[in-house]
Amino acid sequence: MAAQRAESVLSKRLRRADLTAVADVRATLRERLRRRAWGERELADIAELLTSELVTNALVHTGRDAEVTATLERSGPSRLRVEVRDYVEHRPVQRTADGEATGGRGLMLVQSLADAWGVRAVGAGKIVWFELGGGPA
């Protein structure tokens, strides 16, 4: 079995309630994916959107710090994996938002647009993650 070659694209700790960090995370991810020529533009846009949804959820719904990590795996077709860790054990709940609601669509977007996603418990908290394929390495 071939070993996977992975490179860190982004690793950042976010302070609780610092919603300005969401835009910074998006911009940093965009710039680093562009520099590594990963995926098509549309796929990078989806990565930004889903990352901002998970980061926003972690900061808004936990009231605590969070950590975001993005990693490119480049053995075979390249894949981007983004993980957002928070320090609250309760699992996220997918809601159904009505047409006028300004929230409640984040996990629906992740489920609809990611190639894979999930939640796993870690110590005192959890990691919500998603993966997107970027085509040949």
Side-chain angles (χ1 to χ4, degrees), residues 30-93:
R30 177 185 324 114
E31 185 270 326
R32 292 182 182 177
L33 291 177
R34 185 175 303 138
R35 192 172 359 150
R36 287 166 176 83
W38 177 78
E40 297 177 19
R41 174 65 191 213
E42 181 179 317
L43 203 54
D45 289 345
I46 291 170
E48 284 182 56
L49 172 65
L50 299 185
T51 300
S52 66
E53 290 295 336
L54 294 187
V55 169
T56 300
N57 283 352
L59 295 176
V60 168
H61 297 295
T62 69
R64 302 217 180 135
D65 291 359
E67 297 173 33
V68 60
T69 305
T71 306
L72 275 175
E73 295 179 2
R74 294 208 182 253
S75 63
S78 74
R79 295 187 67 72
L80 175 70
R81 181 179 179 97
V82 175
E83 297 183 343
V84 178
R85 179 179 182 177
D86 66 47
Y87 297 90
V88 173
E89 293 176 1
H90 69 267
R91 297 175 69 85
V93 176

